[in-house]
């Protein structure tokens, strides 16, 4: 199989294969430790109750099975992977700006966090144990996607012209070439180092959300996609790979060694400044009331939304097995003919706003005197919007008419005009942009913006002070799991709150 080089020798597999700890054992340990530490009348303060409920109800034990091959057949007993994961989620839920080192201290200071993690109070893990666990979730030699040695970077990314405006679309030719390449290779899945994380996330977390009915109609899901900047450092760090400088040669073309090879510089349209880091492209379940994320992908900061979508749409389609995605909702930055082609090919109906800046909206291919408005409505030579005059379902075309008094035509009943999806799927999509259905479907697109915002604002995604792409993926998947668990709690609140009397019997 094509893809990354698996690690085998990178990790010293010194720890014995962990034994699967059934979730009921975890629950029993929590009860026992709560009773012995706080006495029989445990009272959880209000802030801690939802945390307890979420962790009590979420069975993470499958992570142990997933990691079996990454441990040794002998050696000291390994720490329960499910507890390490639970503890990391607890960090994100309570102190998202904390690093692992501080968290290990926090566990000592705050016994309730250690108990809810599933650690015996007299045997807390150290920092290295957490990092060993993360390493095992990333089955590639390299903690970055690209090699550190790279050609010298030239020039700066383009910026948007107006406030809030994204950088101009990369040349449509580039998107088109990528689409053609991806369509030729779409049935060959290339393994990615983040696949292990996705497998766990899909089989244990997203599947629960599906079971709770939180994703929408599984046989016809609406997905939304959008990119967001992840600022990792103020400046890119690199050093020369040669000694030209020392030999008095000021300018050379030798590659440099970049400490964060997957990051570069891009334009942040919301903050209106250049930044160094990643472009996180996320696909979410658009019909989900809880704006639940489905597939994350880290790209270099300079990458454009349209390019990221092409890669993400194909990778997602290859990996997502819980339902059929039949609509993809995207903003005008994705308005490129080849993206319509790709999505149709993937069996998804594109819902994409027309980019008003695009010159391609003005001239119709079929009649040179008719222009098309940003909503996809034909404009007659006198500048009036033509009126819809029925749909011919057999010929898959819509009829438009201008009244005779407009004067744009000498025809007895006024000017008529036909639009056909096959003529231009971009200007005349299957679901017309001026229809009620379009409005209903497309208004859910902002779900992806709320999801991305939740990760960045509430879960402080950018506060991770990580140097490796591996750790950024851990953080992103961790936060995504929290988002799903939050949704479970909110949607099952009445049911789950009844557990209070089991976990803390004297609490009202
Ligand atoms: Zn050199
Ligand atoms: Zn007219």
């Amino acid at each position: 199989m094509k893809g990354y080089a698996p690690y085998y020798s990178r990790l010293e597999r010194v720890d014995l294969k962990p034994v699967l700890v059934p979730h009921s054992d975890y629950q029993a340990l929590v009860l026992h430790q709560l009773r012995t530490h706080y006495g029989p009348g445990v009272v959880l303060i209000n802030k801690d109750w939802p945390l307890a409920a979420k962790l009590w109800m979420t069975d993470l034990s499958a992570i142990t099975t997933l990691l079996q091959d990454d441990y040794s057949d002998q050696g000291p007993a390994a720490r329960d992977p499910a507890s390490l994961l639970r503890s990391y989620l607890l960090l994100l839920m309570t102190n998202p700006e904390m690093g692992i080192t501080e968290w290990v201290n926090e566990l000592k200071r705050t016994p309730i966090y250690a108990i809810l993690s599933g650690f015996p109070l007299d045997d807390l893990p150290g920092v290295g144990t957490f990092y060993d666990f993360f390493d095992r979730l990333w089955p590639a030699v390299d903690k970055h996607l690209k090699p550190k040695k790279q050609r010298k970077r030239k020039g700066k990314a383009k910026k948007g012209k107006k406030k809030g405006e994204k950088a101009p679309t990369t040349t449509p030719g580039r998107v088109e070439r990528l689409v053609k390449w991806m369509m030729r290779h779409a049935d060959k899945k290339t393994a990615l180092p983040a696949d292990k994380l996705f497998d766990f996330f899909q089989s244990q977390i997203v599947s629960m959300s599906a079971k709770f009915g939180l994703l929408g109609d599984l046989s016809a899901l609406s997905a939304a996609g959008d990119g967001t900047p992840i600022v990792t450092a103020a400046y890119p760090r690199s050093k020369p790979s040669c000694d030209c400088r020392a030999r008095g040669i000021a300018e050379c073309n030798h590659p440099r060694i970049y400490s964060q090879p997957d990051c570069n510089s891009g334009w942040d349209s919301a903050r209106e400044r250049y930044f160094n880091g990643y472009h996180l492209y996320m696909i979410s379940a658009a019909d989900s009331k809880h704006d639940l994320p489905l597939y994350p992908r880290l790209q270099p900061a300079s990458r454009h939304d349209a390019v990221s979508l092409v890669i993400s749409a194909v990778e997602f389609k290859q990996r997502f097995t819980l339902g059929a995605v039949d609509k993809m909702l995207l903003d005008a930055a994705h308005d490129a003919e080849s993206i319509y082609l790709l999505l149709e090919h993937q069996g998804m109906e594109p819902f994409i706003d027309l980019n008003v800046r695009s010159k391609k909206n003005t001239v119709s291919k079929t009649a040179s005197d008719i222009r098309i408005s940003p909503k996809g409505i034909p404009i007659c030579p006198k500048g009036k919007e033509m009126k819809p005059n029925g749909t011919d379902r057999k010929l898959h075309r819509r009829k438009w008419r201008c009244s005779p008094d407009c004067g744009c035509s000498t025809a007895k009943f006024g000017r008529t005009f036909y639009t056909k999806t096959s003529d231009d799927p971009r200007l005349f999509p299957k679901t017309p942009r001026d229809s009620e259905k379009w409005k209903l479907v497309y208004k859910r697109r902002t779900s992806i913006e709320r999801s991305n915002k939740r990760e960045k604002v509430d879960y402080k995604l950018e506060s991770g002070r990580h140097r490796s792409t591996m750790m950024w993926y851990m953080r992103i998947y961790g936060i995504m799991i929290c988002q799903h668990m939050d949704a479970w709690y909110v949607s099952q609140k009445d049911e789950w709150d009844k557990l209070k009397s089991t976990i803390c019997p004297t609490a009202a």
Side-chain angles (χ1 to χ4, degrees), residues 318-332:
Q318 289 169 340
R319 286 162 178 79
F320 186 70
T321 55
L322 299 172
V325 177
D326 80 342
K327 294 182 238 25
M328 182 62 89
L329 286 37
L330 306 165
D331 70 14

Side-chain angles (χ1 to χ4, degrees), residues 153-227:
R153 292 170 188 166
K154 279 182 226 136
K156 245 183 175 182
K158 286 184 184 138
K159 58 175 163 183
K161 287 180 189 127
K162 286 185 231 134
K163 180 165 170 60
E165 197 169 87
K166 293 186 181 175
T169 311
T170 139
T171 58
R174 177 147 182 246
V175 179
E176 197 183 325
R177 282 193 300 278
L178 179 65
V179 164
K180 280 188 178 148
W181 192 92
M182 292 299 273
M183 274 164 66
R184 269 202 309 277
H185 297 84
D187 43 355
K188 272 186 238 134
K189 181 173 153 185
T190 303
L192 298 169
D195 278 350
K196 216 165 189 171
L197 285 165
F198 180 76
D199 287 348
F200 176 79
F201 177 66
Q202 169 163 254
S203 66
Q204 305 301 316
I205 307 297
V206 184
S207 64
M208 278 296 277
S209 294
K211 223 178 270 172
F212 285 136
L214 302 178
L215 300 181
D217 175 5
L218 288 179
S219 65
L221 282 172
S222 268
D226 206 9

Side-chain angles (χ1 to χ4, degrees), residues 242 244 252 254:
C242 57
C244 295
C252 73
H254 294 119

Side-chain angles (χ1 to χ4, degrees), residues 235-250:
Y235 301 100
R237 280 186 207 89
S238 72
K239 55 183 186 211
S241 67
C242 57
D243 62 351
C244 295
R245 255 261 164 70
R247 292 191 289 122
I249 306 161

Side-chain angles (χ1 to χ4, degrees), residues 23 26 50-58 86 89-90 116 485:
H23 191 61
Y26 157 74
L51 296 173
K54 284 174 211 169
L55 295 173
W56 180 268
M57 290 302 289
T58 307
R86 220 162 9 233
L89 298 177
L90 204 50
L116 291 177
M485 288 167 75

